[in-house]
Structure formats: C-alpha cells, structure tokens
Amino acid sequence: MAKKRPQTKGKPQVTSGEIPVVGAREPCPCGSGRRYKACHGREAAHAVTELVQRPFEGLPGEGDWVALRELVPAATVELSLKEKLPEDVPSVTLATVLPMAWPALRRDDGTILLGLQNDTSSGDISRDLADTLQRALTAEPGSPVQARRAPADGPRLQDLLDPDGAFEPVVHTGFEFWVPDSENASGEVAASLERANAAAIPTVKLTGVDSAYWCETPEKNHLRWVMPHPEEKLLDALARLHAAGTSSLGEGTRLVGSFRAHGLTVPVWDLPSSVTAEDVEKPAAEFAERLTAALATDAPLTADERRARGGLTNRQVTLS
C-alpha cells in the first residue's frame, strides 16, 4: 500500500513567493511533507534555469556589461544604485573578476566589489548579481560573499541600479584593484597578484566608439566590438560593407567574423601586431559612419552580398 502523505487540511494556503528557498532534499517549508525539489522547488527550479537571452538589457552601457563579462580581463566600474547606500557602505564597484572567484567582497573599509565573471546558478545573470549585491550590502566588513542560488522572485540589476547612472568602465593592466595597497603586498597576496597579472591579455577600450575593445595577443591583435543592433539587420549591413570592400579598419586589417554573447552580436577584426589601440581609433569611427549608412539600407542583398553574409554567419559562434 502506498504510504500516505501527511495531511495538510486546515493549514493556511501560501503562495510560491512566500516559500523560502532551501536545499533540494530538505522538507518543503510549505509544510506539505514532501521534499522541496518535489514541491515548490519545481517551480523555483524552472524559473531559475530559464535562460534570459539579454540579461543586461535596459541597463546603461549594455554593450560594456557584455564586454566586461566575456572579453575584458581586468576592469572596474563605479555603480550607482536607485536607493541611497547604507551609511557604512561608501561605494559599490563592479569588477570583472575577484580573488578566488568570489561573487563579491566587502572590504574592511565597507566598500563593495561585485564580481561579474562568475558561474551563476540560474539562467538570469542579472538576478544572480542582484542577489549577490543585496547580500554584500549587509555583509560584515572584511568578508567575501559566498555563492548561492538566487530566489526565483528576487530583484534583478534593473531593479537596483540607477537607470540614469553613468556606466564608465576603467580598464586596468592588472588586478591591483583587488587590494587597497598593492605596492606593499607581500607573501600569498603578492604571489596571487603576480599570477593573475601574468595571465591577463593587454586590453584597451576605444574612446571614439561605444563598447569596442582592442586586445594584444602573441601572433596578432584584435578589435572586438559589442554592437546593440538586431542581429539579422547587423549581419546584412556587415555583408554589404564586406562585399563592397569597406569592412576593414585599414591596411592589413580584416573583419573575420562575429560571435553572440548575451543577446548581442560582437564583430571581430584581425589587426597586425603593429596596430595599437590608438591607431585604430580613427578607422573605427569612420567604420561606424559606414555601418550607420548600411544599417539604413533596406534594399535586398545582391548575390555578392549574400555570399559575404554566408561567409560571416558560417564563422559565427555563440558564447552564451
């Protein structure tokens, strides 16, 4: 005979939003007698694993959020929140990555570093980061914030950050921003910094166009440019320029393809190793003008443009 479940008749009805998140094998807090994963955890698990294609949509600097998540080794951004910070929290800074891959760190002076390049437990990076940020605001000074599964009905970054706040990344040559006095770091801290700095690819953010990042690699340099335009329209425009021979950024440079990241398309150019970030500033600005004109064209693609588009899409990959 099947085992009878405990009776819950007479208990007040609760909504999923009132049920706290617990371990999958723990009893569900609703009092049903079932394990959480077989009760209210089913709905929560579905909600947190559903992939949000553009987690940073609606935030100032969406393209830079994507770049800092996927492309840039070492960078920081001062964040502005909608609500006033607690008196014992002087500032909140987004960082590409933190020591030990901590989700966040509350420093001794109360300032907060929020890590962006971390594995997340759900399909919505924005919700995971918002949960980490909220916990960091009340963490003890001098302590990291540990990873956890964010509540399915918790706020997102779009709910916490000031929509009118500036988003101005500062790209660093290394990870000295991890510690307040990096010049005097010693022992394990100094060794950790040295290892991290040695692995960082030199990267520079262009100043003349949005969300474009030059990087240096041993064989050649690259420009990776996160663009906000709808993918199909952007690929058509790039194909028009490529077929016309105007998709490069100067002599020796070449548009080699693109990849998708968090709902945006990122064209990539190969550059000679002699081409610096400063060298590519003017050509990038000129390309932006050509691209704007191509995006405004609605004429059907020619045969050459279709072939160019096919070549671009065949070399496209998805990072997230």
Side-chain angles (χ1 to χ4, degrees):
M1 181 181 294
K3 185 178 180 180
K4 292 184 178 180
R5 301 186 191 279
Q7 297 297 311
T8 59
K9 185 176 180 180
K11 289 189 178 184
Q13 296 295 313
V14 293
T15 64
S16 297
E18 296 172 338
I19 304 299
V21 176
V22 298
R25 300 178 64 83
E26 295 181 34
C28 186
C30 76
S32 67
R34 289 178 290 174
R35 289 178 177 176
Y36 179 69
K37 69 177 182 178
C39 192
H40 283 84
R42 287 179 174 176
E43 181 179 339
H46 175 74
V48 300
T49 56
E50 186 175 353
L51 179 63
V52 175
Q53 296 290 341
R54 288 180 64 178
F56 307 117
E57 185 176 13
L59 292 173
E62 180 186 6
D64 288 311
W65 278 93
V66 172
L68 267 57
R69 168 77 182 182
E70 300 295 342
L71 307 178
V72 183
T76 55
V77 187
E78 294 295 317
L79 297 180
S80 299
L81 275 61
K82 289 181 179 179
E83 302 294 333
K84 185 178 179 181
L85 291 175
E87 291 185 0
D88 59 345
V89 179
S91 63
V92 175
T93 300
L94 180 73
T96 47
V97 67
L98 296 177
M100 309 297 293
W102 286 325
L105 172 65
R106 181 87 184 273
R107 283 174 162 168
D108 291 332
D109 63 0
T111 58
I112 291 172
L113 290 178
L114 177 66
L116 181 57
Q117 295 179 11
N118 292 309
D119 292 334
T120 56
S121 59
S122 82
D124 187 354
I125 298 170
S126 178
R127 195 180 308 280
D128 292 328
L129 288 170
D131 177 67
T132 300
L133 174 55
Q134 284 190 312
R135 291 186 290 129
L137 291 171
T138 58
E140 289 294 324
S143 63
V145 176
Q146 302 299 328
R148 78 167 189 181
R149 185 175 60 190
D153 60 349
R156 307 178 72 238
L157 287 175
Q158 289 82 346
D159 302 315
L160 302 182
L161 300 184
D162 182 357
D164 298 321
F167 192 82
E168 300 175 348
V170 177
V171 179
H172 303 277
T173 57
F175 296 90
E176 284 74 17
F177 61 85
W178 281 354
V179 292
D181 188 13
S182 60
E183 292 184 357
N184 295 318
S186 59
E188 185 177 345
V189 173
S192 179
L193 276 175
E194 185 176 356
R195 288 193 298 270
N197 289 345
I201 296 174
T203 302
V204 177
K205 184 181 188 301
L206 298 195
T207 60
V209 295
D210 294 333
S211 309
Y213 291 80
W214 170 96
C215 68
E216 180 182 15
T217 60
E219 294 183 0
K220 63 185 69 174
N221 299 340
H222 304 280
L223 184 73
R224 298 176 290 189
W225 192 340
V226 187
M227 295 187 172
H229 316 292
E231 180 179 340
E232 296 303 313
K233 194 170 185 62
L234 175 59
L235 289 174
D236 282 352
L238 292 174
R240 296 181 197 279
L241 297 178
H242 203 60
T246 58
S247 64
S248 75
L249 299 175
E251 185 177 355
T253 70
R254 185 167 66 99
L255 175 64
V256 293
S258 64
F259 58 86
R260 303 181 189 92
H262 307 292
L264 299 185
T265 303
V266 187
V268 179
W269 285 262
D270 279 352
L271 313 172
S273 58
S274 59
V275 173
T276 66
E278 185 177 358
D279 293 334
V280 83
E281 285 278 7
K282 183 178 178 181
E286 293 171 346
F287 176 86
E289 294 180 358
R290 297 195 298 273
L291 180 63
T292 298
L295 287 166
T297 302
D298 293 325
L301 297 180
T302 66
D304 287 343
E305 291 168 347
R306 288 196 300 271
R307 282 192 290 271
R309 194 186 196 281
L312 291 172
T313 54
N314 288 339
R315 296 190 296 272
Q316 190 176 47
V317 297
T318 302
L319 294 186
S320 58

